Amino acid sequence: MSDQLDILRSLAKKTDSKIVMVVLDGVGGLPLTVNGDSELAAARTPNLDALAAQSQLGQVELVGAGITPGSGPGHLSLFGYDPLKYVVGRGALSAVGIGVKLEAGDVAVRGNFATLGADRVVQDRRAGRPSDAKNAEIVARLRAAMPDIDGTPVEIYTESEHRFVVVFRAAGGAALGANLSDVDPQATGVPPLSAQAHDAASARTAELVNTFVARAEAALAGEPQVNGVLFRGYSDVPHFPSFDDAYGLRAACIASYPMYKGLASLVGMDVLEVQGEEDALDGKVQALTQHWAEYDFFYFHVKKTDSTGEDGDFAAKVKKIELFDTLLPGLLALNPDVLAIVGDHSTPSKLATHSWHPVPLLIRSEYGRKDVATRYTEEEAQKGSLGLRRGTDVMPLLLANALKLNKYGA
Amino acid sequence: MSDQLDILRSLAKKTDSKIVMVVLDGVGGLPLTVNGDSELAAARTPNLDALAAQSQLGQVELVGAGITPGSGPGHLSLFGYDPLKYVVGRGALSAVGIGVKLEAGDVAVRGNFATLGADRVVQDRRAGRPSDAKNAEIVARLRAAMPDIDGTPVEIYTESEHRFVVVFRAAGGAALGANLSDVDPQATGVPPLSAQAHDAASARTAELVNTFVARAEAALAGEPQVNGVLFRGYSDVPHFPSFDDAYGLRAACIASYPMYKGLASLVGMDVLEVQGEEDALDGKVQALTQHWAEYDFFYFHVKKTDSTGEDGDFAAKVKKIELFDTLLPGLLALNPDVLAIVGDHSTPSKLATHSWHPVPLLIRSEYGRKDVATRYTEEEAQKGSLGLRRGTDVMPLLLANALKLNKYGA
C-alpha cells in the first residue's frame, strides 16, 4: 500500500461535511526588486486578510523542489495524484485542453502542419507558423476530406498556429493502442516517417495515422506552405481512480476553461455549468450556491491570476487578486466546513511564465492550530503552521480537517 | 538500500553516549477557540520551558499529512520503522495490547462472541455486548474446555465486551500460517463461515480454528446470548529488525501499559519492571535510574496525556502535562547525552480522539543549532530549528546527536 490513494481509500469515510478547494491559477508571484512586495503582498485584500487571520497557512510545491509544474501536473498534485506517477499523455492533454471528451479505447494525437517540398522532403516543421485563422481553414478542409477512415471516426481540432489535434475513436470497436512511432522526423531535409506499431493493439492505429497523412497531403496538394502533417505524441485515455473511488467524495468542478474542466473530468468530477464570459467569477459563485447540497467537494477554479502573470503584467495580476477578494464573501456565506485557497503553480509576472516557487496554501477549518500568519501572501505563508509541503499533501489535509478519514492502525 | 534501517545499520557505531526518548502519548493538542492556547500552551511547565530554551525544537508527522496514527504506527514511526511498511496485524496488536508475548510460528486471532439461533444462524455478531465480567466468565469456561486442541496449545484472553483474543502456539512444532479466511460472515441471518486455508502453512491453523468454533459452541450450548464465536483478523508474529540489529543499541522500555511494552518488545527492547499503579511516573524515573548503566537507549512512556485527551478533558490534560513537568528534573539529573521529548500522535481534547496534527519534537544535545523556540508547545515548535518532519526522522536525529553514526560515503 505505498500509493497514497490506496491508503486514503482504505481510511475514507462518508460524512456530511463540505470541502471547497479554490485554485487561484498561477497565484504565486515574485517581487520585482529584492525583498519588495509580490503581487499578493501588493494587493489590497481585506476579505482574504480577515480569512487568513483565522486560518492555517503554509506552502506547497506541486511536483518537487525547483520543478516548474504545467497545469496538468499542478492540478493532479492538488487533487492528490502523484504527478510523477499519474501522467496525462501530451495528446490526451491537448484534447482535454480544448474540451474534447475522450472515451476508453480512443487515441488522441498531437499534430503539426508542415511544409513539404519535392519528394515529400520536410522544409519547415511548422509550416511557417500559419495564423490561427489559416489553421482553422485547413482543419475545416481536412474534416471535409476525412469524416472517417474506413469506418473509424476521425475528429480533427484546431489548436493554434501550426498545432492541431486528432482523435481516432474506437466507437464501440476494438480499443486503439497508442504505442507507435512518430511521423515527425524532428529534422528537415528528410520525408515524414511512416508510423510503426510497437504492439498488436496499435497496428490499427498505425494504419489510421499513415492513411491520415496520405489523405491530408492529397487534400492540401495545392497549398504552398501548409501542405503536410506530422504527428508526435499519441495517448490513450488515462484511467485514474475517481474522487468517488479514492476518497468517497461526490465532487464537482466549477471552472470556465476547457483544460481545467477536462482535468477534473479525468478524476471523475461532475463539471457544472457556469454562466458568463471568460473567468465568470459571479457565475461560478452562483453555480456553487445552486449545487451546494449535491456535492461533498467543490473544485473552484480562477484563471485570470495566471493569465495576467503570463502577460508579465504585475499591476493587472494585482487587480485580478483584488477581484477575487471581492468574491470571497459569497463563498464564505456558504460556510464550508473546510475551505482551502491554493494555486496549481506560481506565475510571477517578473518571469511572465510558470515558475517553480512554492504556492501559498490556506486552510480554514474548526481544527486548526494557532497560526501567526496574518495574510495570504508568500511571505506570511512561510510562517504558517502548515509548513512547506508537497502538493499531494493538500487532499489528505482537507479530508482530515473535514473529519472524513479514519485512524491508520490501532 | 532504500530502507532507512539498512542505511542506519551500515552507519551505526557503538559509543558510551546515552539517549532517552520520552514519549508523551497523544501530547499534541488544539486550541478550543481560533488562535487560543492548546493544552501544552496553557500548562505551567517551568522545567520544560527551561529545557526548551536550551534545546532544538520541531514537529513530526508520524505517518503522513492528514493521517491520524494509531498507537502502533505512531510508535513504530518514532522507533524508525516506516509504519506503512512495518505493519502489525490486528490479531497480533490485540495480543500485544493485553501483554501476551508472541513467539515465532504462533498465530494470534481476534474473536467476537456472538448469539446464534436455530441452525447456527448468527442473530447478533456482538452477543448483545456482554459485560466485561460476563466476558471473563465465558473465557474461563472456554479455557477449561480447551487447554489445547489435539496437542496444540491454545490460549484464550479476555479483552472487553464481546471481544477476546486467541493465540495458537507453534510450541516448537511447525510454524502456523495466518493466511486463511474469516469465520465472521459480517452479516446476520447466516451461519458462521468455515475457515479455509489459502496456503499450505495455514492448513493446520484452519483446522484449529474450525475445531475451536465447534468446541466453543458445544461448551456454550446452554447460554442464551453468548453461545457462538466469530473470528476475523489472523496474524502471525511480525519479524522486525531489533534495535540492536538496526542501530547497535542496547535498548530498554519503561512503560506501564501492555500495548507499549508489547510494541517495544517487537523491536527487541528489554521491558523493565516499573513499580506503582497506573502511569507510575515516580516508578518510571526509579527504573530509569536503576538501570542507567545497562543500556544505551531508553524509551520512556507517559500515558495519561493521551487518556485525558481521549476523555475530552482539556483541564485534566493540562494537569497531566504539568505533572510530567515536575518529573523532569529527575530525568535531567541523569544527564543523558541526548534527550528527546515527543508524542506518538496528537490527541486534542477538542476532538477527544487521536488526530492528524503534527506533534512537537524537542531534542537536547550538545550539538544543536541556535533555536528561537522557547517552549515545548505546538506554536513554538513551528518556529524551531528542526522543521516539520516525518516521525521516522527522529531516530536518525537522535543517533546523530549521540555521535553514534558514521559518515555516509567517503
Side-chain angles (χ1 to χ4, degrees):
Chain A
M1 295 229 300
S2 60
D3 188 316
Q4 175 172 290
L5 292 178
D6 291 332
I7 296 159
L8 294 177
R9 181 186 293 109
S10 74
L11 301 177
K13 64 176 168 186
K14 291 181 188 290
T15 72
D16 290 337
S17 57
K18 290 189 189 293
I19 302 171
V20 175
M21 178 196 278
V22 176
V23 177
L24 301 178
D25 206 299
V27 74
L30 279 175
L32 296 177
T33 54
V34 172
N35 285 333
D37 279 344
S38 70
E39 297 90 331
L40 275 168
R44 290 197 308 166
T45 52
N47 297 310
L48 202 46
D49 296 355
L51 177 66
Q54 303 169 24
S55 299
Q56 311 164 68
L57 276 101
Q59 303 179 89
V60 287
E61 279 177 336
L62 285 307
V63 180
I67 308 293
T68 296
S71 298
H75 270 82
L76 287 171
S77 177
L78 291 178
F79 294 159
Y81 298 72
D82 177 354
L84 300 175
K85 176 172 174 186
Y86 293 91
V87 175
V88 185
R90 301 298 299 253
L93 198 61
S94 287
V96 158
I98 54 174
V100 177
K101 184 137 180 75
L102 298 173
E103 307 285 346
D106 297 347
V107 166
V109 198
R110 299 198 327 156
N112 278 10
F113 292 121
T115 307
L116 304 184
D119 296 328
R120 299 183 68 228
V121 157
V122 177
Q123 288 180 337
D124 184 340
R125 290 178 53 243
R126 293 178 189 83
R129 291 191 185 270
S131 68
D132 292 355
K134 180 71 183 173
N135 180 314
E137 178 208 318
I138 297 288
V139 163
R141 281 171 58 187
L142 294 182
R143 281 179 175 175
M146 277 181 285
D148 66 281
I149 294 179
D150 306 334
T152 298
V154 176
E155 295 170 15
I156 312 166
Y157 299 96
T158 184
E159 268 200 297
S160 61
E161 295 184 325
H162 54 286
R163 289 178 287 263
F164 65 102
V165 180
V166 177
V167 177
F168 298 106
R169 297 284 188 187
L176 295 167
N179 193 6
L180 59 161
S181 63
D182 289 340
V183 169
D184 188 346
Q186 297 200 48
T188 53
V190 293
L193 303 170
S194 176
Q196 307 289 330
H198 296 317
D199 59 27
S202 304
R204 170 77 183 142
T205 317
E207 262 179 51
L208 290 166
V209 163
N210 292 326
T211 306
F212 187 105
V213 169
R215 294 200 191 167
E217 287 178 23
L220 303 174
E223 286 287 329
Q225 274 200 305
V226 188
N227 63 357
V229 296
L230 303 176
F231 287 117
R232 222 179 123 195
Y234 311 91
S235 325
D236 45 17
V237 183
H239 286 294
F240 295 168
S242 70
F243 259 47
D244 187 16
D245 171 45
Y247 307 133
L249 291 176
R250 295 171 302 162
C253 159
I254 299 179
S256 301
Y257 289 80
M259 162 82 91
Y260 310 97
K261 297 190 212 176
L263 286 165
S265 70
L266 283 179
V267 295
M269 291 189 201
D270 286 353
V271 176
L272 303 184
E273 206 173 326
V274 174
Q275 301 294 329
E277 296 299 306
E278 295 215 319
D279 223 355
L281 296 188
D282 287 333
K284 284 176 181 167
V285 176
Q286 222 165 44
L288 181 68
T289 308
Q290 263 170 22
H291 294 275
W292 186 245
E294 296 160 45
Y295 296 95
D296 313 303
F297 181 96
F298 294 89
Y299 153 57
F300 188 105
H301 183 255
V302 174
K303 175 64 183 169
K304 292 294 184 183
T305 38
D306 176 58
S307 325
T308 48
E310 294 258 16
D311 293 342
D313 191 337
F314 191 99
K317 186 170 173 186
V318 168
K319 284 240 172 302
K320 292 303 178 186
I321 292 164
E322 292 176 346
L323 180 62
F324 170 70
D325 188 70
T326 64
L327 189 84
L328 197 50
L331 290 179
L332 292 170
L334 293 164
N335 200 25
D337 298 276
V338 180
L339 173 64
I341 298 179
V342 67
D344 58 336
H345 53 77
S346 291
T347 306
S349 32
K350 182 172 185 170
L351 282 162
T353 184
H354 293 201
S355 83
W356 63 91
H357 303 85
V359 177
L361 167 67
L362 175 154
I363 298 179
R364 195 203 61 178
S365 91
E366 278 295 294
Y367 306 109
R369 286 263 165 88
K370 190 168 183 173
D371 188 298
V372 297
T374 56
R375 292 195 71 203
Y376 182 76
T377 65
E378 297 83 356
E379 185 188 355
E380 286 291 308
Q382 290 165 20
K383 307 179 199 163
S385 57
L386 296 173
L388 172 62
R389 300 173 169 279
R390 280 294 159 89
T392 45
D393 283 0
V394 173
M395 276 304 298
L397 287 173
L398 300 190
L399 292 165
N401 276 280
L403 306 183
K404 287 183 189 292
L405 292 178
N406 289 310
K407 187 163 63 172
Y408 174 73
Chain B
M1 292 228 303
S2 61
D3 190 318
Q4 173 173 291
L5 293 177
D6 292 332
I7 297 162
L8 295 176
R9 181 185 293 112
S10 74
L11 303 178
K13 65 177 168 186
K14 290 182 188 292
T15 72
D16 291 337
S17 58
K18 290 191 189 291
I19 302 171
V20 176
M21 178 196 279
V22 176
V23 177
L24 302 177
D25 207 299
V27 74
L30 279 177
L32 296 178
T33 53
V34 173
N35 286 331
D37 279 345
S38 69
E39 297 91 330
L40 275 168
R44 290 198 309 165
T45 52
N47 297 310
L48 202 46
D49 296 355
L51 176 65
Q54 303 169 24
S55 300
Q56 310 163 68
L57 275 100
Q59 302 180 88
V60 286
E61 276 176 338
L62 286 306
V63 179
I67 307 292
T68 296
S71 299
H75 270 84
L76 286 171
S77 177
L78 290 178
F79 294 160
Y81 299 71
D82 177 354
L84 299 175
K85 177 174 172 183
Y86 294 92
V87 174
V88 185
R90 302 296 300 250
L93 199 62
S94 287
V96 158
I98 55 176
V100 177
K101 185 140 178 75
L102 298 173
E103 306 286 346
D106 297 347
V107 166
V109 198
R110 299 195 327 154
N112 277 10
F113 292 120
T115 308
L116 306 183
D119 296 328
R120 299 183 67 228
V121 156
V122 178
Q123 287 180 337
D124 183 342
R125 290 177 53 241
R126 293 176 189 84
R129 291 190 183 271
S131 68
D132 292 354
K134 181 71 183 173
N135 180 313
E137 178 208 318
I138 297 286
V139 163
R141 281 170 58 187
L142 293 182
R143 281 178 175 175
M146 276 180 285
D148 68 282
I149 294 178
D150 307 334
T152 299
V154 176
E155 295 169 15
I156 313 167
Y157 299 96
T158 184
E159 267 199 300
S160 62
E161 296 183 324
H162 53 285
R163 288 178 286 264
F164 65 101
V165 179
V166 177
V167 177
F168 298 106
R169 297 285 188 186
L176 296 167
N179 192 7
L180 59 160
S181 64
D182 290 339
V183 169
D184 188 347
Q186 298 200 51
T188 52
V190 293
L193 304 170
S194 176
Q196 308 288 331
H198 296 317
D199 60 27
S202 304
R204 171 74 184 143
T205 318
E207 264 180 49
L208 290 165
V209 163
N210 292 325
T211 306
F212 187 105
V213 169
R215 293 201 191 166
E217 287 179 24
L220 303 175
E223 286 288 329
Q225 274 201 304
V226 189
N227 62 359
V229 297
L230 303 176
F231 287 118
R232 217 179 128 196
Y234 311 92
S235 325
D236 45 17
V237 183
H239 287 294
F240 296 167
S242 71
F243 259 49
D244 187 16
D245 171 45
Y247 307 132
L249 291 176
R250 295 170 302 162
C253 159
I254 301 179
S256 300
Y257 290 78
M259 163 81 90
Y260 309 98
K261 297 190 211 175
L263 286 165
S265 70
L266 284 180
V267 295
M269 291 188 200
D270 285 353
V271 176
L272 304 183
E273 206 172 328
V274 173
Q275 302 293 329
E277 296 299 306
E278 295 214 319
D279 223 357
L281 295 187
D282 287 335
K284 285 176 180 167
V285 176
Q286 223 164 47
L288 181 69
T289 308
Q290 265 170 22
H291 294 275
W292 187 246
E294 297 161 45
Y295 296 95
D296 313 302
F297 180 96
F298 294 89
Y299 153 57
F300 188 104
H301 183 254
V302 174
K303 175 64 184 168
K304 291 294 183 184
T305 38
D306 176 59
S307 326
T308 48
E310 293 257 16
D311 292 343
D313 191 339
F314 191 99
K317 186 170 174 186
V318 168
K319 284 238 171 306
K320 292 303 178 186
I321 292 165
E322 292 175 345
L323 180 63
F324 170 71
D325 188 70
T326 64
L327 189 84
L328 198 50
L331 291 179
L332 292 170
L334 294 163
N335 199 25
D337 298 276
V338 180
L339 172 64
I341 299 179
V342 68
D344 58 336
H345 52 78
S346 291
T347 307
S349 33
K350 181 170 185 169
L351 281 162
T353 184
H354 293 200
S355 83
W356 64 92
H357 300 87
V359 178
L361 166 67
L362 176 154
I363 299 179
R364 195 203 61 177
S365 90
E366 278 297 295
Y367 308 109
R369 286 267 164 85
K370 188 167 181 175
D371 187 300
V372 298
T374 55
R375 293 194 71 201
Y376 182 76
T377 64
E378 297 83 355
E379 186 190 354
E380 287 291 309
Q382 290 165 21
K383 306 179 200 162
S385 58
L386 296 173
L388 171 63
R389 303 174 165 278
R390 279 294 159 88
T392 45
D393 284 359
V394 173
M395 276 305 297
L397 287 173
L398 301 189
L399 293 164
N401 276 281
L403 306 183
K404 286 183 190 291
L405 291 179
N406 288 309
K407 184 163 63 174
Y408 175 75

